[in-house]
Amino acid sequence: MKRLGILISGRGSNFEAIADHVAAGDLAAEIAVVISNRPQAPGLEAARRRGIHAVSIPSKGYDREVYDRMLIEELDKHQVDLVCLAGFMRLLSAPFIRHFPNRILNIHPSLLPAFPGLDAQHQALEHGVKIAGCTVHFVDEQLDAGPIVLQAAVEVRDDDTADSLSARILREEHRIYSEAIAIVLGGAYTIEGRRVLRI
């Protein structure tokens, strides 16, 4: 059984969606550890309620590379096959990314490459786009720029606020993240340049 390490900073709703898919047997994987850089993250308690090993490694005051070495040590201790970022609000260092080559996934609430970085839903509304959505991608050394595994589109309504749009995008995030994890763990894909091609 492939082992997942999930990194969170907050409520961990994407982590919980992944855990639901694992529990339902839709995703052939085991969540080996959930790690948060914020000790008060509600997702840690959610993990513990499910009987999943949950660890707080506070990031405050640490240099990025020093902190990332602590993360690597914890993930390696749990023999993690794939690292999944689920609302992890820190940029990862190059040494961390190189330690897990093509083994880190992130979910972002826009149709990348549109609207990378923070407040993607607000950016989408400001730009007046008619279609927003979410993207699961491999993490590389550029911000929100790695090869794309899956995307889902969400219509932008005229009366949308950032909150209402975020809620509809989040439902799609919960659906496609586990699908993307299954694709990657299954290994039936190749990466050519920036393209992830199913075999």
Side-chain angles (χ1 to χ4, degrees), residues 7 63-72 85 88 90-100 104 139-142:
L7 306 186
D63 171 81
R64 183 177 298 160
E65 290 198 15
V66 171
Y67 181 76
D68 283 4
R69 280 199 294 275
M70 294 191 291
L71 277 185
I72 288 168
L85 310 184
F88 188 63
R90 284 181 61 83
L91 292 175
L92 294 167
S93 64
F96 184 97
I97 291 162
R98 290 183 202 128
H99 189 81
F100 298 101
I104 310 169
V139 174
D140 64 12
E141 294 179 31
Q142 311 302 314

Side-chain angles (χ1 to χ4, degrees), residues 2 81-82 102-105 136-138 149 178-189 196 198:
K2 298 283 190 178
D81 296 294
L82 186 67
N102 293 332
R103 290 170 53 210
I104 310 169
L105 288 180
V136 182
H137 64 96
F138 285 103
V149 182
S178 290
E179 285 182 32
I181 291 168
I183 290 168
V184 172
L185 293 181
Y189 68 94
V196 177
R198 303 284 291 274

